[in-house]
Amino acid sequence: MHLKNKITIVIPTLNRPISLSKSLDYYSKLPFTVKYFDGSKIKNKKFKNLPPHIKYFHLPNLSFFSRIKKSLSTISTPYVILGCDDEFYTLGGLISCFNCLEKNKKYISSIGQCVKFYTKTNKIITYLGYEKNLFNSVKSSKSEDRVKEHLQEYAPKYIYSLSRAIFWKKAFTNMLNLNLPVFAIGELVFEISMAFQGKIKILRKLFWFRNYDNSPHYNTEAYLNPENKITTWWNEKKKKKERNFFIYRFSKLLNSKNKKKTSKLIWDVINAYCNNKEVI
């Protein structure tokens, strides 16, 4: 089995050359296609004479969304996953999820368990991440029910999962088309889009390590600035027109045949998410 022809790992990165070098060292030894989309002004000198399964795109000054858009046209494998320069998917975890999806055509994504780690006084401290993901597969048969099921016990699942590329590309295209200056709105658009399209299977297997030694790197892009809170945007009266237009466009992208019903679904789940309410 040539996994490099089956799975692509897409890694956007920006101004973290040390993390990027560690990522390259790690993934160079694994049998998957890995593509780095680097928005840093300075090209990473370590990316020379790369193994055939590693691709590096130096895209200085391109935004995160622009680099994601670039990635969509480069993916040719049937499965894809979004990565980061300071997190590491395991060989066994990716193979387990790949096998799960190959056997279960009703699922569009699969994910395992995350271990977060950081260093303290020369020791590595580890703990389980995203504990809500331990048991909460999203497996309802109806699109609307899956979205409600996912947002009821919300933790990001699809965005870190191994997914069928056709659905992953569609969800990211929705995200690109709904670019607003609101923190985390892109993640929600992606998660809702994926849940609307299909089921996710959560495995009780180690899937990836996430490094918390690094501070998050925020730049001038408004949608990546935590101060632009989605809860504030959602509940501000002066943003009502913008919200309504967002819901209209999102519903059209998800389900152009029944925009009214889908609009209500989007409003219900995001309103519940922003106001800590139960999804009905």
Side-chain angles (χ1 to χ4, degrees), residues 16-222:
R16 295 210 294 202
I18 295 176
S19 294
L20 189 54
S21 295
K22 290 179 181 178
S23 177
L24 175 62
D25 289 341
Y26 178 78
Y27 284 115
S28 291
K29 301 177 180 66
L30 297 188
F32 310 109
T33 295
V34 183
K35 298 185 176 184
Y36 294 92
F37 297 84
D38 188 2
S40 309
K41 289 183 179 180
I42 301 174
K43 187 176 183 179
N44 194 302
K45 295 181 180 179
K46 192 168 182 177
F47 282 75
K48 294 180 179 179
N49 302 317
L50 297 172
H53 68 286
I54 303 289
K55 304 295 181 184
Y56 175 75
F57 300 86
H58 184 226
L59 304 166
N61 302 317
L62 278 193
S63 68
F64 172 78
F65 275 19
S66 295
R67 281 176 280 139
I68 288 293
K69 184 177 181 180
K70 169 71 175 177
S71 77
L72 298 182
S73 63
T74 72
I75 297 164
S76 58
T77 55
Y79 298 99
V80 61
I81 186 169
L82 182 70
C84 185
D85 56 25
D86 60 357
E87 59 189 25
F88 309 92
Y89 294 109
T90 67
L91 175 62
L94 281 171
I95 290 176
S96 293
C97 288
F98 169 78
N99 289 335
C100 172
L101 293 173
E102 285 286 280
K103 294 175 183 177
N104 298 281
K105 301 300 183 182
K106 291 183 179 180
Y107 288 89
I108 67 169
S109 299
S110 181
I111 189 174
Q113 304 308 313
C114 173
V115 170
K116 298 180 178 181
F117 69 94
Y118 63 93
T119 55
K120 184 177 181 181
T121 59
N122 296 320
K123 293 182 180 180
I124 298 176
I125 311 298
T126 63
Y127 58 102
L128 185 64
Y130 304 106
E131 292 186 53
K132 285 185 178 180
N133 280 343
L134 276 172
F135 304 105
N136 296 327
S137 291
V138 178
K139 53 188 178 182
S140 295
S141 298
K142 295 182 179 179
S143 298
E144 294 82 2
D145 291 343
R146 281 194 303 272
V147 173
K148 292 178 180 179
E149 181 184 0
H150 184 19
L151 270 290
Q152 183 64 60
E153 294 290 338
Y154 183 73
K157 295 178 174 67
Y158 290 92
I159 204 161
Y160 301 124
S161 69
L162 183 68
S163 300
R164 301 187 193 277
I166 187 171
F167 301 106
W168 191 91
K169 289 181 181 181
K170 171 63 175 174
F172 264 116
T173 299
N174 289 351
M175 181 172 138
L176 293 170
N177 285 326
L178 295 167
N179 183 3
L180 289 170
V182 180
F183 183 69
I185 191 72
E187 178 189 294
L188 270 183
V189 168
F190 182 88
E191 292 285 335
I192 291 171
S193 296
M194 289 294 283
F196 194 87
Q197 292 181 100
K199 305 176 183 181
I200 182 171
K201 180 71 173 179
I202 298 177
L203 306 179
R204 298 203 69 182
K205 292 181 178 292
L206 177 61
F207 188 64
W208 92 104
F209 293 96
R210 170 162 279 194
N211 184 357
Y212 271 71
D213 278 331
N214 295 324
S215 298
H217 184 86
Y218 301 119
N219 55 27
T220 57
E221 298 170 61

